Amino acid sequence: MQVTDWSDFQTFLAVARAGKLALAGEALGMDATTVSRRLRRLENRLGVTLFEQTREGQILTQAGERVLVAVEGMAQASRELETGSPDSGLTGHVRISVSEGFGSWVVAPNLGDLAARHPGLVIDLVASSGFLSPSRREADIAVLLSRPKSGPLIAGKLSDYALRLYATPDYLAGRPAIRQTRDLKSGHQLVGYVPELIYAPELNYLSEIDADLVANLRSTSILAQHRILAASGGIGVLPCFMGDGDPALVRVLPDQVIIRSFWLVTHKDTHSLQRIRAVHTWLTETTKARYKLLMP
């Protein structure tokens, strides 16, 4: 029986963490050709393909993810044997995909805490209009607006959150009074998403307030919508963690509340990795600590 050289597993681990052959080679002190040769040797011995080559670099296959779980455990055990004590330091790369508003207003201000806890981790925060997919291994962790209906995923509710209508006092002072939702239909500029470019049905807020409401100032970005509102450009729906967090804005029709949920999602093959569990735990703790911002 062939015995696989531990150095080949170390090479595999370096590529999985770096995502590129050249970067892994720099970390290991060897050229990219040698790294590639060692990977091919390991794949031949294991009888699986460990990485897919993409424009962004090396992406783990499902077989590669299973091997990674085992190899990271082996690496930790090796460090503990060498040092004589458990190794609490985490290393590697974790990519988090979140919605633009939640990522910018809740996650980003607290990322320094995560880095202080785990200085050996490299964290990517992808906060954009749209989500990367854990099932396609585009992200390690995603905070989604709905629970996935299929795929090799582990999902749990992270938190509910509230949304309300907001505007500035200056905007409201120059417009007809708003006492009920039908007052929004005339004499007001409504801010919202571009309907055909909404990336999740949960973002269709105005129709939930009144089916006849139509935004005439529209953007794919919740941050851009916030800036329009803060500049007295109109009335629109914002998550309360954004609207209440801006002293320039006030609630309009405060009894009109929309409730949505965030779902924390990981791939089942990488969920048990230490670095994924650590960031998963941190996201859960951070969100729980700021629950009053989400559900005021």
Side-chain angles (χ1 to χ4, degrees):
M1 181 178 68
Q2 284 186 317
V3 177
T4 303
D5 190 338
W6 168 238
S7 64
D8 290 347
F9 284 120
Q10 291 176 309
T11 301
F12 162 78
L13 189 56
V15 176
R17 288 172 173 173
K20 294 181 184 294
L21 296 178
L23 292 178
E26 290 177 10
L28 295 169
M30 63 181 69
D31 58 44
T33 301
T34 303
V35 172
S36 179
R37 185 170 63 249
R38 287 192 174 189
L39 278 182
R40 298 293 83 76
R41 182 171 65 190
L42 182 59
E43 288 179 329
N44 289 336
R45 288 179 176 172
L46 297 179
V48 296
T49 300
L50 298 172
F51 293 97
E52 296 174 3
Q53 177 65 52
T54 70
R55 287 179 297 178
E56 289 76 28
Q58 308 295 316
I59 303 296
L60 282 164
T61 63
Q62 290 187 1
E65 288 170 347
R66 289 192 293 271
V67 172
L68 181 60
V69 173
V71 172
E72 286 202 323
M74 293 162 62
Q76 180 179 347
S78 176
R79 288 192 297 269
E80 291 178 6
L81 285 172
E82 291 173 358
T83 62
S85 61
D87 180 13
S88 60
L90 297 179
T91 60
H93 178 202
V94 179
R95 177 167 292 170
I96 312 167
S97 176
V98 294
S99 63
E100 189 181 32
F102 181 72
S104 299
W105 283 72
V106 178
V107 180
N110 298 289
L111 272 182
D113 169 62
L114 179 60
R117 290 193 197 184
H118 307 292
L121 290 181
V122 175
I123 307 296
D124 291 347
L125 178 64
V126 183
S128 59
S129 299
F131 297 104
L132 301 180
S133 171
S135 64
R136 295 196 297 270
R137 300 186 296 280
E138 296 170 339
D140 300 300
I141 298 175
V143 179
L144 305 180
L145 301 181
S146 63
R147 185 169 194 158
K149 295 180 174 62
S150 61
L153 303 170
I154 296 175
K157 184 184 283 190
L158 179 60
S159 177
D160 293 326
Y161 67 102
L163 306 100
R164 287 183 168 88
L165 287 161
Y166 291 91
T168 64
D170 285 347
Y171 170 85
L172 295 171
R175 300 279 174 167
I178 303 171
R179 297 182 178 87
Q180 50 194 332
T181 56
R182 69 183 182 186
D183 295 332
L184 297 167
K185 297 178 185 180
S186 61
H188 288 284
Q189 295 175 175
L190 298 182
V191 179
Y193 282 97
V194 183
E196 60 269 26
L197 298 179
I198 289 180
Y199 62 89
E202 292 78 16
L203 301 178
N204 192 12
Y205 304 131
L206 286 177
S207 65
E208 189 163 323
I209 294 172
D210 190 298
D212 295 327
L213 293 181
V214 177
N216 61 312
L217 291 174
R218 311 186 306 186
S219 174
T220 58
S221 166
I222 191 66
L223 298 186
Q225 292 177 42
H226 167 255
R227 296 312 304 155
I228 294 170
L229 297 176
S232 301
I235 299 174
V237 176
L238 291 175
C240 291
F241 57 79
M242 294 177 63
D244 290 348
D246 186 340
L249 296 172
V250 295
R251 295 178 179 180
V252 179
L253 298 176
D255 291 339
Q256 289 288 327
V257 183
I258 298 170
I259 304 298
R260 293 287 191 266
S261 301
F262 289 125
W263 292 84
L264 190 55
V265 181
T266 56
H267 195 289
K268 68 177 184 179
D269 287 343
T270 56
H271 178 80
S272 61
L273 292 177
Q274 284 190 310
R275 67 178 186 277
I276 305 301
R277 290 204 311 270
V279 177
H280 187 286
T281 299
W282 175 83
L283 273 170
T284 302
E285 292 174 351
T286 298
T287 303
K288 183 177 180 180
R290 285 147 185 83
Y291 184 72
K292 290 183 178 180
L293 296 177
L294 301 173
M295 291 291 293

